[in-house]
Amino acid sequence: MKKGSLLALLPILVFLLVFIGSGIVFHDFYAMPAVVGFLIALVVAFFQNPKRTFAQKLEDVTRNMGDENVMVMCLVFILAGAFSGSVQAAGGVDSTVNFGLSILPPSVAVAGLFVIGCFISTAMGTSVGTIAALAPIAVGISEKTGITGALCLGAVVSGAMFGDNLSMISDTTIAATRTQGCEMKDKFRENIKLVFPAAVITLILYLVLASGSDFQVTEDLSYNLFEILPYVVVLVGALAGMNVFAVLVLGTVLSLVVGVSTGNILWKDIFTVMFQGPDGKGGIQGMYDITVISIVVAGIIGLVKAN
């Protein structure tokens, strides 16, 4: 049996020290992009084990970077970005939020934010995107009802975390299942046992803590159920065990059809929204970081295994 070496884990320790250390020193955990931290760790891994040549080490790195699971992850990240950008540009987020606020009684506005957040994040696979969409509404509810802002924003964040943990197209879900060799439906089945009871308790707490609010929405709450359709199709398809590639391609095509049909997306912009979303920051472009990080981390793992 090959003898193990704790020293082989040094690159991972270096990343943690550099990344977390820079966040503490500069009071900003975005001061150092994660990919830079991983590149530093990769350099450290190259300096280890001087008995092996640089060419041998480079072979370990590139072989692991080109691993089937890593490449599948990267492809799914790109497709997930295309779907996210397309469905947002098609008006899916706005219609979902407005539909939820329209059918929920004003007295349960905070709990409603939580429920809407759960749905959007599960269907879209991103907690950050969900928070960005719902945070302004949460602030408005807080200002008009007197309910503490922390409670309103907490409902948004907790709903976003619910879906990011369960979504079949979340980057973390994709990475977890591909690296551990399990099916997404199996991860969902196990996670739901933990997440659903917590969500029920959370919903009850929001109903109790924010009861009696007399919030009335004065903004336009117009919605189009056709714009919500891509979310429903992707969610149902994923839960039914449909191949993730097929789910994302179907969701993206359907989102573009909905967007063009409703006039939210111009024909000349269909490729642009897939690439960068409606705000120029999402879409496939928004998946660059996680895609590059996955490849670099795979290279580090290749050297860690060899060492």
Side-chain angles (χ1 to χ4, degrees), residues 78-92 123-124 169 226-238 242-260 265 270 273-274:
I78 291 170
L79 288 174
F83 168 69
S84 177
S86 302
V87 75
Q88 289 182 60
M124 193 162 60
I169 60 172
F226 189 41
E227 294 173 352
I228 305 175
L229 182 62
Y231 280 143
V232 177
V233 169
V234 167
L235 192 57
V236 172
M242 190 175 175
N243 182 278
V244 66
F245 285 97
V247 168
L248 291 172
V249 169
L250 177 61
T252 301
V253 172
L254 185 56
S255 297
L256 293 173
V257 170
V258 169
V260 171
I265 300 176
I270 58 175
V273 296
M274 287 173 61

Side-chain angles (χ1 to χ4, degrees), residues 21-226:
S22 65
I24 294 173
V25 171
F26 298 113
H27 305 288
D28 178 12
F29 281 96
Y30 291 97
M32 172 181 283
V35 67
V36 175
F38 282 119
L39 282 174
I40 293 172
L42 181 60
V43 171
V44 171
F46 264 110
F47 276 107
Q48 286 186 292
N49 203 348
K51 295 179 181 179
R52 304 180 73 236
T53 66
F54 180 82
Q56 288 175 320
K57 295 174 182 178
L58 189 60
E59 183 181 349
D60 291 330
V61 170
T62 54
R63 184 190 301 115
N64 221 56
M65 282 180 168
D67 181 82
E68 177 189 356
N69 286 322
V70 177
M71 289 299 100
V72 168
M73 271 197 301
C74 292
L75 286 172
V76 175
F77 289 153
I78 291 170
L79 288 174
F83 168 69
S84 177
S86 302
V87 75
Q88 289 182 60
V93 175
D94 293 335
S95 278
T96 301
V97 173
N98 290 347
F99 174 69
L101 292 176
S102 298
I103 63 173
L104 291 170
S107 58
V108 297
V110 176
L113 280 176
F114 172 70
V115 173
I116 295 170
C118 289
F119 174 78
I120 293 178
S121 57
T122 304
M124 193 162 60
T126 168
S127 55
V128 175
T130 303
I131 293 170
L134 292 178
I137 297 171
V139 172
I141 291 177
S142 174
E143 291 174 347
K144 293 178 182 179
T145 62
I147 297 173
T148 176
L151 186 63
C152 294
L153 289 172
V156 171
V157 174
S158 52
M161 292 302 114
F162 172 91
D164 194 31
N165 182 43
L166 289 177
S167 176
M168 301 286 188
I169 60 172
S170 166
D171 51 5
T172 47
T173 298
I174 296 163
T177 53
R178 294 305 305 183
T179 56
Q180 301 308 308
C182 65
E183 296 292 329
M184 289 190 183
K185 60 184 179 181
D186 295 329
K187 177 186 179 295
F188 181 90
R189 189 182 299 115
E190 292 304 312
N191 273 25
I192 196 69
K193 296 175 184 176
L194 299 173
V195 177
F196 185 72
V200 172
I201 295 171
T202 302
L203 180 61
I204 293 172
L205 285 172
Y206 284 135
L207 288 171
V208 173
L209 295 174
S211 61
S213 61
D214 56 356
F215 173 69
Q216 295 293 331
V217 180
T218 56
E219 293 81 7
D220 177 30
L221 288 182
S222 59
Y223 59 87
N224 186 338
L225 292 177
F226 189 41

